[in-house]
Amino acid sequence: MEDGDVAVLRCLHTQLRLLAAAMTVDAAAPEVTTMLAGLADTAAAASEMLAVAEPGTLDVLGRAFAYARARRLDETASELVLAHGRLSLLLRGS
């Protein structure tokens, strides 16, 4: 992966960590909705890289966003934690 690719993945990794923590405090807070929108933008920017390097993370993120739309916030948070862990492993190898 190129440096720019790693930077996008690190940004996604940080957003996942912060959003999962925010959801633990108050999953229904308006800030969480804003953070989810930002995460969706970053995930879209990282989607080509993830499709090659870690396609399972795209699946997990897709489920997280689907749960968020359905207001199933506990499941959303669980999927975000899972995506964070998968990205952690990927970034450790880069």
Side-chain angles (χ1 to χ4, degrees), residues 27-58:
E31 294 82 5
V32 167
T33 302
T34 302
M35 293 172 80
L36 275 166
L39 180 68
D41 290 342
T42 306
S47 64
E48 283 187 37
M49 290 172 276
L50 288 173
V52 172
E54 180 52 51
T57 299
L58 284 177

Side-chain angles (χ1 to χ4, degrees), residues 51-73:
V52 172
E54 180 52 51
T57 299
L58 284 177
D59 296 336
V60 173
L61 288 170
R63 286 193 306 266
F65 293 129
Y67 286 139
R69 284 188 299 276
R71 303 297 296 158
R72 294 174 58 183
L73 301 179

Side-chain angles (χ1 to χ4, degrees), residues 9-93:
L9 293 178
R10 288 195 188 285
C11 180
L12 182 63
H13 187 252
T14 299
Q15 285 179 296
L16 285 164
R17 179 175 40 83
L18 294 173
L19 183 51
M23 290 190 77
T24 300
V25 174
D26 184 3
E31 294 82 5
V32 167
T33 302
T34 302
M35 293 172 80
L36 275 166
L39 180 68
D41 290 342
T42 306
S47 64
E48 283 187 37
M49 290 172 276
L50 288 173
V52 172
E54 180 52 51
T57 299
L58 284 177
D59 296 336
V60 173
L61 288 170
R63 286 193 306 266
F65 293 129
Y67 286 139
R69 284 188 299 276
R71 303 297 296 158
R72 294 174 58 183
L73 301 179
D74 288 343
E75 290 94 339
T76 303
S78 293
E79 295 296 336
L80 295 176
V81 170
L82 179 58
H84 180 266
R86 294 179 75 107
L87 268 181
S88 294
L89 292 174
L90 176 64
L91 289 170
R92 234 178 255 146

